Amino acid sequence: MNDAKRIEPEHVYDKLSHIGELTSRITHDMRNPLTVIINYSVMIQKNSKNKLDKKSLDQMALIENEARKMYRQIDDVLNYVKLPPLKLQSYSLHDILKKVIESVQIDDVEIHLPKNNPQMICDIDKLEIVFVNLITNAVEAINGAGSININAKTAANDIIIEVEDSGPGIAEEDLDKIFEPLFTTKQNGTGLGLSSCMNIIERHRGTISVKNNPTIFTIKLPKIGLTA
């Protein structure tokens, strides 16, 4: 006789929901001390260039970079498990991109904004997450030196945005898996960044895709008719 206890789907869902809430709370709380570490390490580097030796400055830069990596991983998890309702308003694409570029470490990378500047009905905080992921990934793909071209155009019913980088491209065997949760080719990646991007774009009733030679991520968002 099989005495195995049957687990009801609703019970599993409740447990997963609680795990998601707990994960969201923990990751949110972890961001605050990391922000302090990042800000202080940046401040020390700026104010102590003539006071500290090169080894000490390099160590401070290492602390900053590692803290930023942890912060991004936490953001990936938080953005994946936390799905609040969209807050939809009208924004221009340039306003979103300029805000994103200010928050991303671009080093020697040239980022070319699109000539077109369409207005979009969107949740600006969520779209910032998408573009931070795409631009950060592009910066890493070109190893901190190269160019990123962002183009925008309008079709009959859609706004089409393309993010193209001058990197070596994505391995062909990875193209079909790149948006899957937990799939990553990075040593320190969570595998949730691009999955979160797809989730956000789909919640905006849009699509996101990628192609190689060169690497181009294409986002399509509806012009009108989007409601929360």
Side-chain angles (χ1 to χ4, degrees):
M1 181 178 179
N2 189 354
D3 293 327
K5 185 177 179 181
R6 184 173 182 269
I7 301 175
E8 296 295 332
E10 294 83 0
H11 182 63
V12 174
Y13 178 81
D14 286 343
K15 280 202 167 187
L16 290 174
S17 177
H18 291 316
I19 291 171
E21 290 175 9
L22 179 61
T23 302
S24 177
R25 193 177 310 145
I26 292 171
T27 52
H28 184 273
D29 291 343
M30 288 174 66
R31 290 198 301 181
N32 294 330
L34 281 173
T35 300
V36 173
I37 292 170
I38 292 168
N39 289 342
Y40 270 94
S41 57
V42 169
M43 182 182 68
I44 291 170
Q45 289 175 80
K46 285 183 178 179
N47 297 335
S48 305
K49 283 188 176 180
N50 299 322
K51 300 176 183 177
L52 294 178
D53 56 79
K54 184 178 183 303
K55 182 177 179 182
S56 298
L57 288 172
D58 287 345
Q59 288 174 337
M60 291 308 304
L62 179 63
I63 290 171
E64 179 197 349
N65 289 335
E66 292 302 313
R68 287 187 185 277
K69 285 180 186 177
M70 290 177 64
Y71 193 98
R72 189 178 174 207
Q73 289 178 342
I74 288 169
D75 262 359
D76 284 348
V77 174
L78 192 59
N79 295 332
Y80 188 75
V81 300
K82 190 176 182 180
L83 297 174
L86 296 178
K87 298 177 182 178
L88 300 171
Q89 293 185 44
S90 179
Y91 299 96
S92 76
L93 179 58
H94 279 196
D95 287 343
I96 299 171
L97 292 175
K98 287 176 181 177
K99 193 174 178 183
V100 167
I101 290 169
E102 288 176 1
S103 67
V104 175
Q105 282 186 301
I106 60 174
D107 299 324
D108 297 322
V109 175
E110 294 182 8
I111 299 182
H112 303 287
L113 294 178
K115 294 179 180 179
N116 293 342
N117 186 24
Q119 289 288 126
M120 301 183 295
I121 304 297
C122 65
D123 185 320
I124 187 171
D125 293 332
K126 299 296 183 294
L127 278 198
E128 281 178 15
I129 291 169
V130 172
F131 287 112
V132 164
N133 266 285
L134 295 183
I135 292 174
T136 301
N137 286 347
V139 169
E140 292 175 356
I142 59 183
N143 201 23
S147 62
I148 298 171
N149 296 315
I150 304 174
N151 299 305
K153 57 186 177 182
T154 55
N157 299 311
D158 299 311
I159 297 167
I160 302 169
I161 305 161
E162 296 178 336
V163 180
E164 174 186 339
D165 68 64
S166 59
I170 301 165
E172 289 296 325
E173 62 269 21
D174 294 337
L175 274 178
D176 292 337
K177 300 179 284 187
I178 202 165
F179 292 107
E180 292 179 5
L182 305 181
F183 175 79
T184 182
T185 59
K186 303 175 186 177
Q187 187 175 358
N188 297 313
T190 61
L192 296 175
L194 288 176
S195 180
S196 294
C197 290
M198 175 171 277
N199 188 7
I200 290 168
I201 295 301
E202 287 181 346
R203 291 182 69 206
H204 280 79
R205 299 185 186 174
T207 62
I208 182 170
S209 59
V210 63
K211 65 179 182 179
N212 259 336
N213 303 315
T215 302
I216 301 177
F217 282 86
T218 301
I219 295 169
K220 290 185 180 180
L221 294 171
K223 278 184 180 177
I224 56 173
L226 182 64
T227 56

